[in-house]
Amino acid sequence: MTMKCTLLLAPAGLALVLGALPAAAQDTTADASFIAGDILVTARKREENLQDVPLAISAFTSQEIRSARIERLADVAKLAPGLNFTPLFGAQNQLPIIRGAAQTFGQLNVGVFLDGVYLSGKAAVDIELADLERIEVVRGPQSALYGRNTFAGAINYVSRRPSDRLSGWADASVGDFGLLRFSASASGPVTDKVRVKVGGYYRNHDGWYLSSIDGGRVDGIEIYGATGTIELLPTDNLTITWRGTWSHEESGQPPSNVIRTNASPGRPAGSPVGTVRNLLYVGDVPSIPRNGVTVNTGRAIVGPLGQTAAYGQTQDAFRTNLKIELDGGPVIVTALTSFDRRDTQYVFDGDNTICDTPSTAPPSTGCPNFGFPFAPAIPIGTSAFGTSSVKGYSRDWAQELRFASPGGGRFDWLVGAFYYDNKSSSLDRSLNPLTAANAATFGFPRQTTTTQSLAIFGSATFRPSDVVRLTAELRYENETQAFHQVPTNGPPSTTVASRRVFNLRENFDFVTPRFIADVTVADGKMIYASVARGAKTGGFNTNLNVFDNQRTYGPETSWNYELGAKTSWLDNRLVVNLAGFYTDWNDQQVACQNPVAAGGTSTQRTYVCNVGEAEIWGIEADMVARIADVFTLTANYAWTDARYRSFVDDSLAATLAILGRPPLDFDGKRLPYVPEHKFVVSPRFDVPLGGDWRGEARADLVHQSRRFVRADNFQSFAPKTTVDLRIGASSDNLAFQFFVNNLFDDKTPVAAVRFFDSVNFSVASPLVQGPERRQIGGSVRYSF
């Protein structure tokens, strides 16, 4: 404990040591970095200077977004300390992780917002980042002001406002692997009271991987969309802003393979006597070959009458919001009304493998079908025997109303109310195999989930002196969830488990306070301490082979303690921000499993329960140093020690029993997907070329240490290092850039989950996803 307390106190001491660094040449500016200068952020629902906010925040300006080519959520995660991103097998399941709070189940632990509007669902957070003013990554729970699913932090995308003069830009990028990206925006006044902005974008990429089964492209993407903004200024103190976006996205399957187990030989359950297979995979998971992905491409059967659909995901999204801001002098009133709708369909190869070697002699026997001896064998060379297919939609509307003081006084306050309504419906067409007989017998389950949430929140800041601030925040939220499932074919039948009708309803309450004290110890130097409670909502277990008293799982909560420093030195030529934190995570939503007597496979007997506990210690550091007129060095580092304090996962119990091993004790094991060390180093040169032309060159080196796939820590990802290069030249109107992503073509996988080797007696095996590979390209931008 003494060592960990010392680590929490270390940032303040390090900030003082940095004061001895030699002088540099000129002031750091907002355009020179994403953590320094006069950057305004709205992390606490009012505009504040980044360096004055007693929170750990990384802010990417519009110039930084262009320079670093930040185009998707994965690009944000590369450069922000304490933020990791795992694309868990397709666009419908994106996983941002802040400060090691990697969830096993349930909703995201990170809230993602577009212009203050919550983007619900794991498929909605990875949007095309076009025409943004800035991106804010706020680390630590933001539940007091933002709600129950900002358990570990929040990511805010802030769009550009319309301009008061005619202006615009157009950008085009090309690259290998079929990259084409176009985006454009135009803005200006219609009258002195009306301003508008319109824009659009298009991206096409063929993908990096090919199927070894049919030679088709696996992970390509095509996305296009349009945006529009109307800003009304009827009086000097009233602003009314309408925004609307529409997008269409077609993305291929994730490039993933089932990896054969390599350790602990034994007889798989359900196999013939004398069968011996490796029952576990231990060690670093291997890379995925570019032309060796074991999935089908093209089209798949998705209905009982032979209907087909392309493999991958299709998503249409429409988002709109209306914001009214009234500056009433002593009171500022803000009303934000939003509506979102997404229609999605995804079709994935559900087995991720191929019958390449017969499990029993003679060769004509083929492979066992999912390990069940009563099922017909799968012929050699066959792979299309499992399909995962879901079609559905999600609809949100929300209303927020806030009243706030102008800010900057001895006492500042903010109060607000928030209402949220969500409805999500899906048709699960994943019967295996998809046949007319199966559909007639069981029906396709249609699932509908609704969520209504009502919250009141507030904050108060008191300044007992010119250098001390005390802030208290509090939110109360009440949420009602309902789940309904019925088969789509024929009357309900209680004798057929697959056609069971579910009607579930649950109510959740959250109280999430935050307390902050900050002290300005010198000009440009602030230290702060905070205590905050995070909360994430519960949900429902809808598997067939769980008991009625297991249908609902509860919320999870955490207490978070942080000590930090925000400092600038040498006339703002050096900026250093540090934070140390501790998270006490309780009632964690993890996997439990019923005994074999409950029936079904181990997957069908697995359910979510609140039995996990974890603790996370961490240190984060941001630095920007203006070394010379033409050279800036940006760097950040995050050390994260995220471990289970109490957790029992019995999903491997049967396998361990076969091997004669005792149940696993996960106490002290590391949380999945969380590197202990992550650092980013970005040297940048900005050189005058003559006239109004300037040249820019930068490299972004990102390193992550070893990460584990699951709580058992059997499988891991090797340390991963990538380098991105950008070289360009720009004037007032034109900009050119040459870029290389992943310069050394690092092949370390980016995701993996426990899966089943379907043609090898369903032995539990890792399903591994390959990364984005090296890409070379160039872009041109015209501004007016």
Side-chain angles (χ1 to χ4, degrees):
M1 180 65 70
T2 301
M3 182 194 72
K4 292 178 178 177
C5 290
T6 302
L7 290 174
L8 287 177
L9 295 173
L14 180 56
L16 297 177
V17 172
L18 287 168
L21 290 179
Q26 68 180 55
D27 289 352
T28 300
T29 65
D31 284 343
S33 75
F34 55 88
I35 65 167
D38 297 326
I39 302 175
L40 296 178
V41 296
T42 54
R44 297 197 294 179
K45 294 188 180 288
R46 64 166 78 235
E47 280 195 351
E48 300 175 279
N49 187 286
L50 174 62
Q51 290 298 100
D52 293 336
V53 182
L55 297 173
I57 307 175
S58 297
F60 300 80
T61 65
S62 57
Q63 191 275 343
E64 178 72 14
I65 292 170
R66 294 194 301 271
S67 173
R69 301 192 66 84
I70 299 174
E71 299 171 350
R72 304 288 288 205
L73 182 53
D75 302 322
V76 180
K78 276 185 183 180
L79 300 180
L83 172 61
N84 299 98
F85 176 69
T86 301
L88 270 181
F89 302 98
Q92 88 289 349
N93 200 17
Q94 308 297 291
L95 182 62
I97 301 169
I98 289 181
R99 288 189 166 176
Q103 76 266 31
T104 306
F105 290 97
Q107 299 193 35
L108 291 175
N109 284 349
V110 175
V112 182
F113 299 82
L114 175 61
D115 297 316
V117 178
Y118 176 62
L119 302 180
S120 66
K122 297 177 181 178
V125 298
D126 191 19
I127 63 175
E128 188 79 4
L129 303 181
D131 203 20
L132 295 183
E133 180 66 28
R134 67 181 179 275
I135 300 169
E136 303 171 3
V137 179
V138 193
R139 304 188 294 279
Q142 306 302 309
S143 301
L145 293 182
Y146 284 93
R148 79 275 191 273
N149 284 342
T150 53
F151 179 82
I155 300 171
N156 301 318
Y157 301 133
V158 182
S159 299
R160 284 180 177 271
R161 294 180 56 185
S163 174
D164 59 359
R165 60 179 180 83
L166 181 62
S167 61
W169 55 268
D171 190 290
S173 300
V174 296
D176 54 357
F177 299 101
L179 173 66
L180 290 173
R181 185 177 188 264
F182 305 100
S183 55
S185 177
S187 177
V190 177
T191 69
D192 59 347
K193 302 292 185 180
V194 181
R195 302 171 184 174
V196 299
K197 181 167 70 70
V198 295
Y201 55 86
Y202 174 84
R203 175 197 291 272
N204 185 83
H205 181 242
D206 292 341
W208 284 271
Y209 294 87
L210 299 175
S211 168
S212 62
I213 296 172
D214 56 28
R217 294 193 176 275
V218 175
D219 57 329
I221 184 172
E222 183 180 40
I223 179 172
Y224 47 86
T227 64
T229 304
I230 301 175
E231 186 175 88
L232 306 179
L233 305 166
T235 65
D236 291 341
N237 62 346
L238 177 63
T239 303
I240 302 172
T241 306
W242 172 86
R243 289 186 173 95
T245 66
W246 171 83
S247 65
H248 174 81
E249 179 174 344
E250 296 181 16
S251 54
Q253 299 177 90
S256 52
N257 285 355
V258 172
I259 306 301
R260 286 282 157 85
T261 48
N262 64 355
S264 302
R267 178 189 172 188
S271 65
V273 175
T275 302
V276 177
R277 294 289 187 273
N278 289 321
L279 301 184
L280 296 175
Y281 189 95
V282 177
D284 290 344
V285 292
S287 60
I288 303 299
R290 282 196 52 239
N291 60 351
V293 180
T294 54
V295 298
N296 294 279
T297 62
R299 302 185 70 83
I301 298 174
V302 296
L305 302 179
Q307 299 98 319
T308 65
Y311 281 105
Q313 172 167 296
T314 301
Q315 176 172 273
D316 288 283
F318 172 73
R319 300 182 172 95
T320 184
N321 68 76
L322 179 68
K323 186 176 184 179
I324 302 173
E325 299 171 283
L326 174 64
D327 186 348
V331 178
I332 298 173
V333 183
T334 304
L336 179 61
T337 306
S338 62
F339 175 85
D340 292 6
R341 172 160 176 144
R342 292 182 297 110
D343 292 272
T344 61
Q345 173 176 275
Y346 73 82
V347 182
F348 286 176
D349 187 329
D351 52 80
N352 281 88
T353 189
I354 185 172
C355 180
D356 52 3
T357 304
S359 298
T360 57
S364 59
T365 304
C367 298
N369 191 346
F370 297 93
F372 300 130
F374 54 82
I378 300 169
I380 297 293
T382 302
S383 64
F385 51 88
T387 303
S388 180
S389 174
V390 175
K391 184 176 183 179
Y393 73 90
S394 177
R395 183 269 300 153
D396 298 88
W397 80 266
Q399 176 67 60
E400 182 172 281
L401 180 64
R402 301 194 305 268
F403 302 87
S405 63
R410 182 70 68 180
F411 178 75
D412 289 318
W413 56 271
L414 179 150
V415 295
F418 176 76
Y419 178 75
Y420 173 71
D421 184 290
N422 168 268
K423 180 178 181 180
S424 299
S425 182
S426 63
L427 180 65
D428 188 344
R429 305 174 299 189
S430 297
L431 292 175
N432 182 63
L434 285 172
T435 65
N438 279 345
T441 303
F442 298 110
F444 297 126
R446 180 179 293 280
Q447 303 174 342
T448 301
T449 301
T450 59
T451 300
Q452 286 86 36
S453 177
L454 180 64
I456 55 175
F457 59 91
S459 70
T461 298
F462 174 61
R463 295 172 174 83
S465 72
D466 292 340
V467 297
V468 177
R469 289 186 301 184
L470 304 175
T471 301
E473 302 170 352
L474 182 67
R475 187 185 192 96
Y476 168 75
E477 189 156 358
N478 178 269
E479 177 177 293
T480 300
Q481 290 187 30
F483 175 84
H484 180 63
Q485 175 179 293
V486 295
T488 56
N489 295 335
S493 172
T494 57
T495 60
V496 180
S498 300
R499 300 183 64 187
R500 183 171 178 177
V501 175
F502 290 124
N503 283 294
L504 307 173
R505 189 179 181 86
E506 191 62 44
N507 187 266
F508 303 108
D509 288 280
F510 313 94
V511 178
T512 49
R514 178 165 64 185
F515 305 97
I516 309 172
D518 64 87
V519 180
T520 301
V521 296
D523 185 29
K525 299 172 181 63
M526 175 183 69
I527 60 173
Y528 67 90
S530 68
V531 178
R533 187 174 191 257
K536 188 177 78 169
T537 188
F540 301 113
N541 290 304
T542 59
N543 280 355
L544 301 176
N545 300 82
V546 299
F547 301 108
D548 287 341
N549 63 351
Q550 300 166 344
R551 290 294 171 196
T552 301
Y553 58 90
E556 57 185 22
T557 59
S558 68
W559 280 102
N560 301 262
Y561 308 88
E562 182 172 337
L563 178 63
K566 291 196 166 183
T567 68
S568 61
W569 309 83
L570 310 172
D571 295 327
N572 273 348
R573 294 188 295 269
L574 174 67
V575 175
V576 179
N577 294 340
L578 304 106
F581 65 90
Y582 170 71
T583 300
D584 182 11
W585 188 354
N586 296 291
D587 301 317
Q588 191 177 7
Q589 298 164 3
V590 295
C592 289
Q593 191 173 95
N594 282 321
V596 176
T601 66
S602 61
T603 300
Q604 293 167 333
R605 289 184 278 112
T606 300
Y607 63 98
V608 181
C609 56
N610 297 92
V611 300
E613 294 182 4
E615 63 177 13
I616 307 171
W617 295 85
I619 293 177
E620 298 161 347
D622 297 296
M623 182 200 76
V624 174
R626 191 75 166 179
I627 307 300
D629 287 349
V630 298
F631 179 55
T632 301
L633 179 66
T634 300
N636 64 67
Y637 169 74
W639 171 77
T640 310
D641 185 21
R643 297 178 184 269
Y644 291 104
R645 185 171 56 220
S646 175
F647 177 35
V648 177
D649 179 357
D650 50 8
S651 59
L652 279 176
T655 298
L656 294 172
I658 292 172
L659 296 171
R661 297 188 184 184
L664 285 174
D665 180 2
F666 293 144
D667 295 1
K669 298 286 188 181
R670 292 190 178 275
L671 270 64
Y673 299 116
V674 180
E676 183 177 7
H677 304 282
K678 177 190 173 185
F679 65 81
V680 180
V681 178
S682 298
R684 313 167 188 210
F685 291 89
D686 186 3
V687 182
L689 300 178
D692 63 350
W693 283 89
R694 301 191 66 86
E696 182 189 46
R698 64 179 289 166
D700 296 312
L701 183 150
V702 183
H703 174 80
Q704 295 184 90
S705 60
R706 179 167 277 101
R707 299 166 295 147
F708 291 100
V709 174
R710 286 176 45 82
D712 52 39
N713 290 185
F714 284 158
Q715 299 130 27
S716 55
F717 305 98
K720 184 177 182 65
T721 302
T722 60
V723 176
D724 297 336
L725 295 180
R726 285 86 173 89
I727 301 174
S730 62
S731 68
D732 292 340
N733 300 110
L734 280 175
F736 302 92
Q737 187 183 66
F738 168 77
F739 63 88
V740 183
N741 296 332
N742 194 4
L743 174 66
F744 299 107
D745 199 21
D746 184 276
K747 305 176 181 65
T748 307
V750 293
V753 295
R754 186 172 68 98
F755 202 66
F756 299 94
D757 193 342
S758 303
V759 297
N760 193 30
F761 297 100
S762 287
V763 169
S765 306
L767 178 65
V768 176
Q769 180 175 333
E772 296 182 355
R773 304 294 290 270
R774 177 172 52 221
Q775 186 167 57
I776 301 173
S779 67
V780 59
R781 181 184 181 91
Y782 172 73
S783 304
F784 63 91

